Amino acid sequence: MTLSIQRCFVVLLVVMLAGNKRLHAQVEHHPLAGELQRRIAERSTLRFAKSAGMQVSANESDSLALIAFYRSLGGSVFWSDDTGWLDTAVSSWHGITLNADGRVTHIELSDNFLLGELPPELGELAHLRVLSVSNNVISGSIPESAGHLDSLRTFSVWANILSGTIPASLANLQQLQDLLLFSNRLTGAIPPELGQITRLRRLWLDFNRLTGQIPSELSQLRELTELFVDANQLDGEIPIALSTMPNLISLYVGSNRLTGPIPGELGNIRTLENFSAAGNQHNGTLPAEFSKPPLLTQLFVSRNQLTGTIPREIASLAVLTRLEAADNRLSGPLPEYLGAIDNLRVLDLSGNAFTGDIPATLGVANGLTDLDLSRNQLTGELPGSFGLLNRMQHLDLSGNRLSGTIDVIYNMIRLRTLNLRGNGFSGELFAGFAFMPVLKSVDLGENRLSGTLDEVFRLPTTIRQLKLDNNRLTGAVPRSILQSEQLQSIYIQGNQFAALPDVTVLSRLDTLNVTGNILTFADLIPNVPIAARGVYQYAPQDSLRTEVIRTAHEVLFTVAGDTDGNQYRWMRNGEALGGAQTDTLRVNLTSDPAWYHVVITNSALPELTLISRAAKSHGIPTNRGSESPSPYSFALHPNYPNPFAVATRIPFEISTSGPVRLTLYNLLGQRVATLLDRSLGSGEHAVELDGHQLSPGVYVYRLEADGQSGTRTISIVK
């Protein structure tokens, strides 16, 4: 292979691997990728103090071991910095420190793009105190010879792609204080022999593929302050023996397959500041004993099968800042005493079965910055004390049964994200959002908000995502949203908006969903350029209103929204009328009564067909005698539109005055709703059906009047 071909191959390999230099493939696809990236960023800031290099000649055996290290890890090709290596004295090699005897004491080459395997010659560096090669692309297994590094204090190889098992020979490293194997692909069991490294202070085994149980022998590590074994595939129960570790500050055992109750004995670790058992299969209750460690700051038990409630004793934790117990089976009223945790900043109880009102005492916890009570069964209105939470940055109350207005939210001037989706909030929106200067995301979808936005509706210039879908908003989408230059997505589908500005001036906008409104081609066509940036969803639209003007001689049917390229096809009782191809239809009153609507298309938006709501002409019967029959007869007409997403109109007529009942059934014959049940006069009538609270599917509506009955089907799509 020629030199030029070799060089091309090397460049190609570098390009292929460059995207994985820091996080590797396992980071991107790991189910806890966000937490993994956070830990890598956090631990990348930790650096070990480098000893002053000695200008002495290196020991020959150490030099040979370093040369093997350099060649095995691609030093001449891949390293970001290989200054001095193999060209100058060893004491000048980048990342190498020697002592007065010329023995290697430090190898510090983290973030240097080391590519290859750790050579067995590594074990010959008998005076090595620090081996720090984290955040590289080191593969293969940890060599057994690493157990010969009797002087080693720090073994830091985290964020590589090491595989195989953890050598039990590492137990020989009696001077070791930091064993940092985090974020690799290590498999097999945690060697119980690690419990023999009596000086160990930090043990990072998290984000690997380790199996088996957590060895109780680890409790022998009396100096240990940090034990991270989370994000593996460990099973069994948390060993109660860990509760005897006198200096433990951080204990992370989450995101495994651990079972059984969380041992209350762990609360006896008086030094404990951070505890995580999130993402396991723990049952039972959250132990009240976790109120004992006086410095407990973070408590993570989300994604388990815990029952009961949050123990009252937890409120006594004076320095607790984060309490996360999401996605369990906690139930009962939301505890009022949570507001008594003075330093609480983050409270996440989402995905449980809490009921009742949100306690007003939560407003006392005015240090809260993140509150997530989503996906519970909370009811009632937002307490007025919420207005005191002026440090709130992230609020999520979605997926509950809350009601009332949201006015109290406008006091949260530091709010960045707001999610109230899927409740029963009502009332109108107004200018309050304009006073939230850092707001980035608003989700008010699937509520009962009503009224018009008009020009009083203002958003801060920082807003990036706006979701107002599936409410009861009417009128025009205000042009004031054009001032929000950071907007990336707008979701306003499922309302009754009748006008839309040209939003193509929003240069960052990539998602616009306006389906299920009553917008016309005149509103929609100007925004076609949005489709080239991302997603533009505009079809279907609900029925256009048909304006009816009656004169002494004729009935005029007119639809709004005329624009260039529209094609009109008028229908009489569901059949096309020849020659009727404008936005207006004239019907002579001498004609028989009939239902009229128009179908509109436009080649600029080929996926959309607009259908107007049907209206009826009142013809004047000829040869009317003194006892002419009623001009009306019993008839149940098709609803318009059908299918529909938000609302539809069910027209019918009856020949005589009397009781009328209109009922909605599902396909199992079960009554879903009574739409009408009262006396009406003879003539034509219509009932508006609101589909907000109905699930998608096919239903049957039944009309009973005049001693007759009729049924038709209806389809809801969302």
Side-chain angles (χ1 to χ4, degrees), residues 37 39 81 112 144-145 189 210 297 304 327 352 384-385 397 436 584 673 677:
Q37 291 184 21
R39 289 195 194 175
D81 188 347
N112 204 48
E144 287 284 342
S145 61
L210 301 172
T297 304
N304 280 289
D327 296 304
N352 283 287
S385 62
L397 304 176
M436 299 178 175
T584 301
D677 189 8

Side-chain angles (χ1 to χ4, degrees), residues 382-404:
L382 298 180
S385 62
F386 258 36
L388 301 174
L389 299 175
N390 55 17
R391 296 185 184 181
M392 188 69 68
Q393 297 180 18
H394 306 282
L395 178 63
D396 192 344
L397 304 176
S398 60
N400 282 286
R401 303 170 185 173
L402 300 169
S403 58

Side-chain angles (χ1 to χ4, degrees), residues 294-332:
L295 299 179
L296 190 64
T297 304
Q298 300 186 103
L299 180 56
F300 306 113
V301 292
S302 297
R303 305 188 309 280
N304 280 289
Q305 302 171 21
L306 301 179
T307 56
T309 188
I310 305 296
R312 178 180 294 273
E313 292 82 355
I314 297 296
S316 66
L317 289 169
V319 297
L320 187 67
T321 60
R322 298 180 69 100
L323 173 56
E324 299 185 15
D327 296 304
N328 279 286
R329 300 175 182 176
L330 304 176
S331 59

Side-chain angles (χ1 to χ4, degrees), residues 138-290:
I138 302 174
S139 58
S141 59
I142 299 173
E144 287 284 342
S145 61
H148 300 157
L149 300 172
D150 296 335
S151 300
L152 199 64
R153 267 67 165 175
T154 298
F155 188 19
S156 177
V157 294
W158 56 263
N160 283 284
I161 51 175
L162 290 165
S163 58
T165 60
I166 300 173
S169 62
L170 296 183
N172 298 328
L173 308 181
Q174 288 301 301
Q175 303 299 317
L176 195 64
Q177 297 177 0
D178 299 301
L179 180 55
L180 312 180
L181 309 181
F182 149 73
S183 186
N184 280 283
R185 300 176 181 175
L186 299 172
T187 57
I190 299 174
E193 292 85 354
L194 296 183
Q196 301 171 16
I197 312 175
T198 56
R199 295 189 181 184
L200 203 60
R201 294 182 181 178
R202 293 192 295 173
L203 180 57
W204 295 354
L205 305 179
D206 44 326
F207 289 92
N208 279 286
R209 302 172 183 178
L210 301 172
T211 56
Q213 299 184 0
I214 301 174
S216 60
E217 288 83 354
L218 296 183
S219 63
Q220 301 169 18
L221 302 174
R222 314 303 287 175
E223 300 296 323
L224 200 69
T225 61
E226 297 180 5
L227 175 57
F228 288 85
V229 295
D230 54 321
N232 281 287
Q233 301 170 24
L234 302 173
D235 54 29
E237 299 187 0
I238 301 175
I240 295 178
L242 298 183
S243 64
T244 64
M245 304 176 75
N247 293 293
L248 199 60
I249 294 174
S250 296
L251 175 58
Y252 281 67
V253 297
S255 300
N256 282 291
R257 301 170 182 173
L258 303 179
T259 57
I262 298 174
E265 290 84 352
L266 296 177
N268 295 327
I269 307 176
R270 302 291 293 176
T271 56
L272 195 63
E273 296 181 14
N274 309 293
F275 175 74
S276 174
N280 285 307
Q281 301 170 27
H282 295 302
N283 53 26
T285 61
L286 177 61
E289 289 86 348
F290 275 99

Side-chain angles (χ1 to χ4, degrees), residues 343-383:
N343 289 287
L344 196 61
R345 299 292 180 267
V346 178
L347 177 60
D348 186 355
L349 301 178
S350 59
N352 283 287
F354 287 113
T355 57
D357 296 347
I358 297 176
T361 52
L362 272 183
V364 179
N366 56 9
L368 274 175
T369 61
D370 296 65
L371 177 60
D372 192 344
L373 303 177
S374 62
R375 297 178 291 115
N376 279 283
Q377 301 171 25
L378 301 174
T379 55
E381 301 184 3
L382 298 180

Side-chain angles (χ1 to χ4, degrees), residues 471-513:
N471 279 285
R472 301 173 180 178
L473 301 170
T474 59
V477 177
R479 295 185 59 82
S480 60
I481 67 170
L482 303 181
Q483 300 173 2
S484 306
E485 298 178 355
Q486 301 295 316
L487 257 178
Q488 297 176 354
S489 55
I490 300 176
Y491 297 83
I492 55 174
Q493 68 268 25
N495 285 285
Q496 287 290 297
F497 287 120
L500 177 70
D502 180 354
V503 299
T504 56
V505 296
L506 299 175
S507 60
R508 298 176 182 268
L509 192 67
D510 60 18
T511 302
L512 177 64
N513 190 336

